[in-house]
Amino acid sequence: MNRLRASLVWFAAIGSLCAGLALWRAAEARHPTDFIAFTADGYSCPIYVADNLGDAGTGAAKLLQLTLAQAAARSSASFPIQRGDREHMKGRGVFLSVHRGGWKTETTAVEKLNSSAAYSSQAGRLSINTRTSDTLETAVSWFLETELGAHWFFPGPLGVQVPTRNSFSLPAKMAQWSPSFISRHLAVGGSPEEQAWFSRNRLNALFEHRHSMGVIFKRDDLLKTPELAPLISGRRYQPRVGDTNSWQPNIASPLAAPFAANVLKQWLRESPTRLSVPLSMNDTVGYDQSPATVKLAGGRGYFRGNPDYSNLVFGFVNQVAREVARDFPNRFVTTYAYDWTENTPDFRVEPNVVPFLTADRSQWFDRQFAAEDQALIRRWVAAGPRVVGLYDYLYGAPFLVPRPTLYAVAQSIPFAYETGVGAYFAECSPNWGLDGPKLWLAAQLLWDARQDSAKLLDTYYREFWQETAAPMREFFALCDAQWRKQPLPSYWLKYFKDEQQHLLYPPDVRRSLRVQLDDAARLAKSKVVRERLRMVSESFAVTETFAEYCEQRETLIRLLQQAQATGFRLLPATKQFLEAKHRFLDRHAEVQKEFPLALHGPIPRELTRNDPLGSALWQIGRWPRDEATRIELTRLAHDYPEVKTLLAVTRDNLHWIPVNADPALQELRIATSFDATTLDWATAGPWRGNDLPHEHRAVTLVPDDIGQSVRLSGCLEEIFSQWVPAEPGALYFASARVKAKVSPGNLTFLVIYFTDAADKIADLGTIQRLPVGEWSDATELTVVVRAPKNARRIGIAVRAVNQVGDDFAEFSRIGLDRLE
């Protein structure tokens, strides 16, 4: 029986092969010089892959097989994949290969710079080839997009659009393309669907770059050679175990550049195919403060509001790059023109240095910033490096509102290409359900920056949204307009991890956007379009519930600022706040579960830590309570665990025990001058004042009736804090009086933090934030929290972040009490 079954299978296979051969011969007779992929009468071409192409060849062949099968509406098995050496790869079909003057497949570092692709068809054969095996899938996707009209608009099956047809053939032709950017890296995420989208949109990560000082100069190196450690506030800084990013090495030391060069050269020796090594400062401003460092920085003042340390850093980078080039002339050293080093230095930069120019180019809606940024890009291209890269921020998460910023993509990438930029990287963390065509448009322009962005978007709406193209075009256009018309001034990543991002989408705008989605739902006919629309609609429902939660929170906080606010007014506002909060949390969880790629990651803690609940319950408890109020509080405690945790603050018999020192700031003294080395500006008293030096930062003391106020203006990111021992499980009440002017995106707030048993800060704390507006009469911010069971210390702080124009914050009477 088994022998009979095997025979039948063998005869069936021979019969199928003969039938396919007959179909192909019939097609060839009609078109003798054409390459024929498939015909209406059932023929499907084979796909041949050279044996020595390994996994890269297999991946490219499977992409070709799958896409041809989708176009023909057949099974993938209809397009068989065969492997063999060069002698066996003859006949008719598709042939995937690598051509570099020979059939070797090892890729040298220099060869990685050539990511050109080509295909040719003649006499029934289609050849697709590249210079390196790891770019073969790039060539296949380019062919499929160019000749078959295939597109991968976003990850997963819902994002694939392949037109179906009865037959597909090509006349004799040749095509070759070298992409506009040699390195095209959009950091979209690590899921299998996102990685497939990455490769099918012809992206690559050619250059290795990252903040690297902490892995070049290790803790043991600094202990062994203290001169390599920075001098901070008169003392040599020694990193804690595991701390690789909160400090900068002393790059002014004569030992620093030779040390770093030896490390980088060792990395290159260990990896002969490695094209680049990273040499970027840590993501901090903890520079050495010695006179040698200050002198090398060059006294260049400020650039974009930050101290300009480009001469110092790129002088060091040049020394290292020259030493690396002696042994490895065809390799590159990557670095960041970032933070204090965005500006070009006063001297030429070595040709083997690849600087990535960091900027949030969504700011290009601001004409002044766009002009300044374009001038800076031109200066860097002329500064000496062989390759210049752009580093951008095309988020996605942590935003929970649509951030398409199509205007920025359409302007900045073609400009960079025309100016001579050769590499591109963007942090993305996409919310695929909210971001629309942004990343697809970016990938298209990185491949060919000479394309017309408007025509590309026409393709997106026509092919992806099909019958719903008109309302979906209007939906994303409205979202894009909201970003372009936000109030000036612009600044780096405005509303990043900031609940006030919802201000970009007020209720009337949200209603207009929902109308477009409803119109699209009425037009949607096909199953795939309905499912795409449902993902976007559900994702936008998260935006809607998030905005409603933020609005209810602000209503409650403003009510708390009113002296006449009674328990009877606060109780319904508190209930509405809790209901809105949990609608948002529940909707976010539901959408992430149903559409895992729609929203990237969990809700950032920054968006929920502004929590007026404890303060509201405390205020309610100060007023006489009738039976109805007691019943409602009991019900809220039953429905919301956070109410139960804090309900003790409504009791009448609380004892207040002060726990922090100098709440009136009478002992506080501050620095008399501020510059790039002024990280800690509180010079006397128990309080600590510190954070980021900034061109317009001003900190002054103002006398008041019981002590002093600390006035902050022009601050980029300032914190004024005090830490004391904590009692685990105890209730704490913090308060601060404040006068202020607060612009949208400005964070002016009171915060309580805790450290855990290991004395590490547990999370971002609980805050009460002052809403946008002018608060010329002093108002009170309060925070009520219960300490975690493992709490070791508690910190009370006031903060001022992103102050612009005449914004200011004047804090006084900053007290912390334990409630018993």
Side-chain angles (χ1 to χ4, degrees), residues 32-44:
T33 63
D34 289 2
F35 158 70
I36 301 169
F38 55 87
T39 62
D41 49 9
Y43 168 73
S44 302

Side-chain angles (χ1 to χ4, degrees), residues 190-459:
S191 70
E193 296 89 348
E194 287 171 312
Q195 289 303 297
W197 180 90
F198 182 95
S199 61
R200 291 169 189 183
N201 280 281
R202 302 178 295 283
L203 299 169
N204 66 350
L206 188 63
F207 292 110
E208 177 188 349
H209 54 91
R210 65 180 188 275
H211 298 289
S212 60
M213 291 298 106
V215 292
I216 295 174
F217 298 89
K218 297 181 179 179
R219 180 175 183 270
D220 289 348
D221 299 323
L222 270 59
L223 292 173
K224 182 178 179 181
T225 311
E227 188 180 341
L228 294 174
L231 191 70
I232 304 291
S233 298
R235 300 177 62 184
R236 289 288 174 193
Y237 180 79
Q238 294 298 335
R240 299 181 303 275
V241 174
D243 176 12
T244 61
N245 197 49
S246 70
W247 50 277
Q248 305 287 15
N250 177 16
I251 58 175
S253 166
L255 303 177
F259 182 92
N262 286 335
V263 172
L264 298 190
K265 288 193 289 186
Q266 182 60 33
W267 290 353
L268 291 171
R269 291 188 196 99
E270 293 169 355
S271 302
T273 62
R274 193 172 184 174
L275 181 64
S276 62
V277 284
L279 182 70
S280 294
M281 304 308 292
N282 288 334
D283 196 2
T284 181
V285 298
Y287 285 91
D288 175 72
Q289 297 174 353
S290 70
T293 291
V294 173
K295 181 179 179 179
L296 286 173
R300 285 167 36 113
Y302 294 85
F303 183 75
R304 290 179 172 171
N306 294 318
D308 187 345
Y309 270 39
S310 288
N311 279 354
L312 167 71
V313 170
F314 286 99
F316 163 75
V317 169
N318 269 356
Q319 291 180 63
V320 176
R322 283 194 293 269
E323 182 61 31
V324 169
R326 289 191 180 96
D327 294 348
F328 300 95
N330 294 317
R331 312 288 187 91
F332 293 90
V333 174
T334 62
T335 191
Y336 291 148
Y338 169 71
D339 204 15
W340 288 14
T341 64
E342 292 182 64
N343 202 2
T344 48
D346 290 333
F347 42 78
R348 299 283 291 176
V349 176
E350 291 296 313
N352 62 329
V353 172
V354 181
F356 279 85
L357 318 184
T358 63
D360 169 22
R361 294 177 182 89
S362 74
Q363 291 178 254
W364 277 25
F365 71 85
D366 179 346
R367 292 183 181 181
Q368 181 177 345
F369 177 81
E372 177 205 89
D373 198 45
Q374 290 164 8
L376 179 64
I377 293 169
R378 291 190 185 98
R379 291 204 305 275
W380 270 109
V381 170
R386 179 180 170 191
V387 179
V388 172
L390 288 198
Y391 191 120
D392 213 327
Y393 303 84
L394 300 182
Y395 302 118
F399 293 91
L400 284 178
V401 299
R403 191 177 183 262
T405 57
L406 299 172
Y407 64 90
V409 172
Q411 294 172 33
S412 62
I413 294 178
F415 173 85
Y417 167 72
E418 292 164 5
T419 307
V421 171
Y424 185 93
F425 173 84
E427 297 181 30
C428 299
S429 306
N431 292 320
W432 291 104
L434 294 175
D435 287 343
K438 172 173 58 184
L439 297 181
W440 179 79
L441 178 64
Q444 289 285 317
L445 292 173
L446 291 172
W447 180 253
D448 181 2
R450 293 171 292 185
Q451 296 180 89
D452 186 323
S453 295
K455 291 181 179 178
L456 287 170
L457 291 174
D458 286 344
T459 299

Side-chain angles (χ1 to χ4, degrees), residues 648-729:
V649 299
T650 64
R651 295 175 183 170
D652 297 325
N653 59 341
L654 288 173
H655 297 284
W656 296 70
I657 304 174
V659 296
N660 72 308
D662 192 26
L665 313 184
Q666 292 173 318
E667 302 172 30
L668 176 63
R669 301 293 181 271
I670 65 172
T672 56
S673 62
F674 289 79
D675 58 22
T677 66
T678 312
L679 302 181
D680 299 318
W681 45 261
T683 60
W687 294 94
R688 182 182 178 192
N690 73 303
D691 231 328
L692 298 183
H694 193 259
E695 181 178 8
H696 305 294
R697 177 174 73 170
V699 182
T700 56
L701 294 179
V702 180
D704 65 17
D705 53 349
I706 66 168
Q708 298 182 105
S709 301
V710 58
R711 181 185 172 95
L712 308 173
S713 62
C715 292
L716 178 63
E717 191 169 338
E718 213 67 39
I719 183 169
F720 182 63
S721 61
Q722 185 180 148
W723 287 85
V724 294
E727 182 178 312

